[in-house]
Amino acid sequence: MEPSTKLSKRLKKVASFVLPGSRFADIGSDHAYLPCYVCLRDPSAYAIVGELNKGPLQRARQTVSWNGLTDRIDVRSGDGLAVFHRGEVNTVVIAGMGGSLIHTILSDGEAHLMGLERIIVQPNTDERNVRQWFSTHGYSIIGESMVEDNGRIYEIIVADKMAGSQQLTGKQLLFGPHLLKQKPDLFYRKWEKEHMKQRHIIDQMTYAKYPDNPKIAMIEKETKWIKEELGHDCP
C-alpha cells in the first residue's frame, strides 16, 4: 500500500505542519493514513493513533501493519487525548471533526497537554470555537491554511504553546488572524458563500413570528464584517 495514494489533499496539507522528528498523536485517525504518510517520509517520526470505535481501530492497525510501521506507530483504543500519557508526545493532530467537538476534546484532555508544543487542527465547522480555546489556554496561532478537497473548503489551524495568551479580536476569531491578512483565493470563495447564507438566515429570522433580535443583531454584525473584508466583491 502506498499511503500517498490514499491520503486526501486535505490531510496532506495537515501533515505538512507536522515538524520533522515529531512524536505526535493523531486523534480519530481513521485508517491511520496520515501517521503512515508522515512516518514513511520521516524515519525519525513516531506516532500514536487514537481510535474509540472497534472498526476504525482495526482498520488503523491493518494500515500500520501493511506499511511495516508497527515499531513506530502505536495504535491505541481510547477516548480523545486519554490515549497518550502526559509528556509522551509533543504534537497533537485532530482533523475532520466539528469545531465544537475538537474544543471538547481539548478541554476534557487538558491534563494530557502538559509539555505539548504544537496542536494542529482541521475543523469541518465552527473554526472560531477552536481559535477561542487556543486564545484562552496559552496557545498562539502561528499558521493557518485553506484547502479545497472534493468541492469543499477546509481551514487548517496550527497553534504552538507560548507564554501568556494570544488575544484575538472578534474578526480574528471568525476569519482567522493569518487568513485575514493573507486572504487567499479560497478565503473569498468561502466567505462569499457565507455572506449569502447569512443574508438568507437574517431574512428568515426577521419574518419569524417571534424574532430573536439579539441573535439577528449578532449575525448582522458578522455579515457586516464579511462585507468589509470582501470589499467590492461582496454585494
Side-chain angles (χ1 to χ4, degrees):
M1 174 186 285
E2 171 54 51
S4 63
T5 63
K6 286 286 187 180
L7 204 64
S8 65
K9 186 178 178 181
R10 168 181 65 91
L11 288 181
K12 281 184 180 179
K13 179 60 72 172
V14 173
S16 71
F17 291 104
V18 178
L19 296 175
S22 292
R23 298 179 64 85
F24 67 99
D26 187 15
I27 306 302
S29 183
D30 190 20
H31 291 84
Y33 291 146
L34 185 147
C36 284
Y37 178 88
V38 172
C39 288
L40 284 172
R41 287 155 182 76
D42 179 5
S44 62
Y46 167 83
I48 294 171
V49 169
E51 281 293 354
L52 181 60
N53 298 317
K54 186 176 180 180
L57 184 73
Q58 184 177 359
R59 290 192 292 270
R61 284 176 175 157
Q62 288 174 343
T63 305
V64 172
S65 178
W66 288 338
N67 284 285
L69 291 168
T70 53
D71 59 331
R72 290 198 291 126
I73 300 179
D74 190 0
V75 181
R76 301 177 184 178
S77 174
D79 190 9
L81 306 187
V83 295
F84 63 86
H85 305 295
R86 188 168 60 181
E88 198 173 10
V89 299
N90 57 28
T91 301
V92 163
V93 176
I94 311 176
M97 303 181 193
S100 60
L101 179 55
I102 294 175
H103 185 286
T104 298
I105 289 171
L106 294 173
S107 296
D108 290 350
E110 193 170 352
H112 295 266
L113 297 176
M114 294 288 291
L116 202 73
E117 299 169 7
R118 171 166 291 193
I119 300 176
I120 305 166
V121 298
Q122 179 269 296
N124 288 342
T125 58
D126 198 10
E127 297 88 354
R128 170 168 44 190
N129 207 346
V130 184
R131 292 188 182 105
Q132 182 67 62
W133 191 92
F134 286 143
S135 71
T136 56
H137 288 81
Y139 284 84
S140 290
I141 297 172
I142 58 92
E144 293 175 305
S145 184
M146 301 181 84
V147 62
E148 185 174 18
D149 196 358
N150 287 327
R152 184 169 178 178
I153 297 172
Y154 299 94
E155 293 183 13
I156 297 146
I157 307 167
V158 185
D160 285 357
K161 187 68 175 177
M162 302 286 186
S165 59
Q166 180 186 42
Q167 299 299 318
L168 299 176
T169 66
K171 271 191 176 184
Q172 289 174 326
L173 287 171
L174 179 63
F175 298 108
H178 295 272
L179 294 175
L180 195 56
K181 291 180 180 178
Q182 299 161 359
K183 290 187 181 174
D185 290 342
L186 290 177
F187 179 93
Y188 290 94
R189 288 177 53 191
K190 171 179 177 172
W191 290 107
E192 283 166 4
K193 290 181 181 178
E194 289 298 318
H195 182 266
M196 292 176 63
K197 288 181 187 177
Q198 298 282 58
R199 292 306 319 168
H200 182 64
I201 291 170
I202 291 171
D203 290 343
Q204 286 186 319
M205 293 180 69
T206 300
Y207 292 103
K209 188 174 182 180
Y210 302 105
D212 186 342
N213 292 320
K215 188 170 183 179
I216 291 172
M218 181 191 72
I219 297 174
E220 284 181 335
K221 180 174 72 172
E222 292 179 1
T223 302
K224 181 181 177 182
W225 286 348
I226 295 171
K227 189 171 183 178
E228 288 172 354
E229 296 307 322
L230 295 184
H232 297 299
D233 296 324
C234 186

